[in-house]
Amino acid sequence: MHLQAVLPDTVSGLLGLEGILGDVVGGLVGAFLVANIMLIMTAFAGPWAKRKITAAFADRIAVNRIGPFGLLTIVTDAVRLLSKELVVPEGVDRPAWDLAPMVIPFSALLGFAVIPMGNGIQLADPETGLAFAFAAASIASLGIVMTGYASNNKFSLIGALRAVAANIAYEIPLVVTAASVVIFAGSLRMSEIVAVQAEPLLSVAGVTIPTWFAFVNPFAFALFVIANLAEVGRNPFDIPEAPTEIVAGYQTEYSSVYFVLIYLGEFIHIFLGGAIAATLFLGGPAGPVLPGFVWFTIKIWAFFLFTQWARSAVPRLRVDQFLEIGWKGMLVLSFANLVLTAIIVGVIA
């Protein structure tokens, strides 16, 4: 079963455009809509939801002074940060220092191009969609290296090197674990991975349980979520920033709009990690009663809540512990899962 990506086609149809012009305009408008959906979610997640969740874990009161439930803090924080002076430290390597904050959020938004969000909200559905999503997300590593190298600051450089070490150590287990899903689904196309999970797995007391790969292979799901935490830099894997050790890591020398862009990219990457996990293991936008996009939103926000729980409840690992778990633990377990999945699928087939 193959679910076609219809958002650009729908937009061009509504505008009455055909041919190349329709494809270009439909794609641009569709990309604008998807990007703004994610930016709005990020605006709620960063300045407001993160504080509220952290405060709840610490049994204290978070932002509540400006607007109902403190929601207008989103606006005031945006104005406050964007109106600050952009301080350019002496000796930075420009234009790399200027480009890096743009690369980080762009890479995360690019990954959403192939994510099926339900209700026809998918920009593109290439045969190698999953590989594209991982490739787009990994571009952020380039931006982080640029921030560390170009900042002319030892703490920034240490943070960037830690980020690279984290990406190498945990991105391999992440991709290898995702490959086990590809073996089950028989395709790298995102829509087909979602479609396979729509088939019934079993029925209990009249309730049909779908073939979500989180149910089929919960071990792989657990591996993927743990590796994903390392990829998005949340506890216990937040060593690239490590505020108690290296100030703010790779983003130490950034302020004003550049800091906002890096901060924005961090949260968009959390949502992208949740979106990939939902697509691979939780049926994508599938769910009962509610529209697909609502279920997709619930699933990625659930992953966001999980990352904030980890941030509040789990202590940071030392660098040596971090690398040891990645190379000696996650890598071995991910390959073991891949081999076992291949054997099981081969026997069943």
Side-chain angles (χ1 to χ4, degrees):
M1 182 178 179
H2 174 206
L3 303 178
Q4 291 290 340
V6 297
L7 183 57
D9 296 335
T10 301
V11 171
S12 60
L14 290 173
L15 296 176
L17 301 174
E18 297 179 354
I20 297 177
L21 180 62
D23 293 338
V24 172
V25 174
L28 290 175
V29 173
F32 177 81
L33 293 174
V34 170
N36 275 277
I37 289 171
M38 299 318 305
L39 289 173
I40 290 170
M41 288 190 188
T42 305
F44 277 97
W48 185 78
K50 174 184 174 182
R51 292 172 176 171
K52 284 288 189 182
I53 296 166
T54 305
F57 278 110
D59 195 23
R60 57 184 174 81
I61 298 173
V63 288
N64 65 349
R65 298 293 182 182
I66 307 173
F69 307 105
L71 281 170
L72 291 183
T73 300
I74 298 169
V75 178
T76 57
D77 268 16
V79 173
R80 175 175 61 87
L81 289 168
L82 294 176
S83 61
K84 283 182 177 291
E85 178 186 3
L86 178 62
V87 179
V88 182
E90 184 178 352
V92 299
D93 186 357
R94 305 180 79 172
W97 189 81
D98 297 300
L99 290 174
M102 305 175 199
V103 172
I104 296 171
F106 170 78
S107 67
L109 288 174
L110 184 62
F112 277 100
V114 295
I115 300 293
M117 303 182 188
N119 307 106
I121 306 176
Q122 186 180 11
L123 289 175
D125 192 22
E127 293 183 1
T128 56
L130 180 58
F132 177 89
F134 281 125
S138 66
I139 296 174
S141 300
L142 175 62
I144 292 174
V145 171
M146 290 167 67
T147 62
Y149 169 78
S151 291
N152 192 31
N153 179 295
K154 61 183 178 183
F155 295 118
S156 298
L157 182 59
I158 291 171
L161 293 175
R162 285 183 173 192
V164 172
N167 286 334
I168 295 173
Y170 286 86
E171 193 163 329
I172 297 173
L174 190 75
V175 173
V176 171
T177 304
S180 68
V181 172
V182 173
I183 291 175
F184 272 119
S187 175
L188 285 166
R189 193 187 295 270
M190 296 296 235
S191 62
E192 292 183 2
I193 294 173
V194 171
V196 169
Q197 296 178 80
E199 299 174 3
L201 179 62
L202 52 89
S203 182
V204 179
V207 177
T208 301
I209 298 177
T211 313
W212 290 4
F213 292 128
F215 299 147
V216 175
N217 191 351
F219 178 65
F221 180 55
L223 285 177
F224 192 88
V225 169
I226 293 171
N228 219 346
L229 272 180
E231 280 293 295
V232 300
R234 280 293 178 259
N235 288 44
F237 307 113
D238 67 332
I239 64 165
E241 298 176 21
T244 57
E245 300 174 18
I246 51 175
V247 189
Y250 60 87
Q251 56 186 325
T252 299
E253 294 291 0
Y254 285 94
S255 59
S256 187
V257 64
Y258 283 178
F259 172 78
V260 172
L261 286 171
I262 294 174
Y263 192 72
L264 192 70
E266 180 181 334
F267 280 88
I268 300 174
H269 270 279
I270 292 176
F271 282 121
L272 178 60
I276 295 174
T279 303
L280 293 180
F281 291 97
L282 300 176
V289 184
L290 299 174
F293 180 73
V294 175
W295 276 112
F296 174 80
T297 304
I298 291 172
K299 291 171 185 177
I300 63 174
W301 271 91
F303 180 75
F304 171 75
L305 292 173
F306 174 73
T307 63
Q308 297 311 300
W309 167 82
R311 182 178 181 272
S312 300
V314 184
R316 181 187 307 124
L317 295 169
R318 297 196 314 263
V319 176
D320 60 309
Q321 294 171 331
F322 175 84
L323 294 175
E324 187 170 354
I325 291 173
W327 287 111
K328 295 182 180 180
M330 296 292 296
L331 185 64
V332 174
L333 291 174
S334 62
F335 272 105
N337 169 72
L338 181 67
V339 172
L340 184 61
T341 301
I343 292 172
I344 293 173
V345 172
V347 171
I348 293 174

